[in-house]
Amino acid sequence: MNITEFKKLLEKDSPDAHLSVQLRALWYDAKGDWHKAHDQVDQLGDLASARIHAYLHRKEGDIWNANYWYAKAGEKLPALSLDQEWEALVQRFLAV
C-alpha cells in the first residue's frame, strides 16, 4: 500500500483490520478523532507507538508532553508542519 491508497481508506467509516495500530491511530487522526487515535497508542510502550504518541500530543498543542514522547521514541520534534509529519509517519509505517 502507498500513501495515496492509505488516504483512499479515509473514505471508509472504519479503518481496515489489517492496518497496524500505528496506522490505525493515524487513520483516526486524519478522520478528526484525536481521542480515538490517542487510545490506539496510549498504553503501548514500543518505539513506534511512542512516535505516534508524540505527534498526537504535538497536534494537541501539548509540546511538553510531545517532547517527552519524542524522547521516548529516540527522536526530536521535527521541523515539519503537522500535515507533513502526518504524511511522513504514514509513509514510514506503510514501509514496515
Side-chain angles (χ1 to χ4, degrees):
M1 178 181 300
N2 62 37
I3 193 159
T4 302
E5 294 165 330
F6 182 82
K7 287 180 178 180
K8 189 85 171 143
L9 295 177
L10 296 172
E11 297 172 5
K12 296 183 176 195
D13 292 329
S14 60
D16 281 5
H18 72 277
L19 293 177
S20 68
V21 66
Q22 294 82 21
L23 287 170
R24 280 196 314 269
L26 293 166
W27 185 92
Y28 281 115
D29 176 62
K31 294 287 278 186
D33 194 338
W34 185 94
H35 292 286
K36 188 82 168 184
H38 186 261
D39 288 347
Q40 302 298 304
V41 295
D42 188 37
Q43 300 301 318
L44 302 177
D46 60 285
L47 295 177
S49 296
R51 183 60 183 81
I52 300 297
H53 209 155
Y55 159 78
L56 290 169
H57 282 293
R58 177 182 177 213
K59 185 170 187 178
E60 177 191 33
D62 186 350
I63 299 304
W64 182 90
N65 204 1
N67 281 328
Y68 169 82
W69 286 104
Y70 283 115
K72 292 280 278 183
E75 298 186 30
K76 294 182 181 183
L77 192 146
L80 300 170
S81 71
L82 286 168
D83 289 340
Q84 290 170 325
E85 185 177 7
W86 182 88
E87 287 209 5
L89 288 169
V90 169
Q91 290 175 343
R92 177 192 297 190
F93 292 109
L94 285 173
V96 174

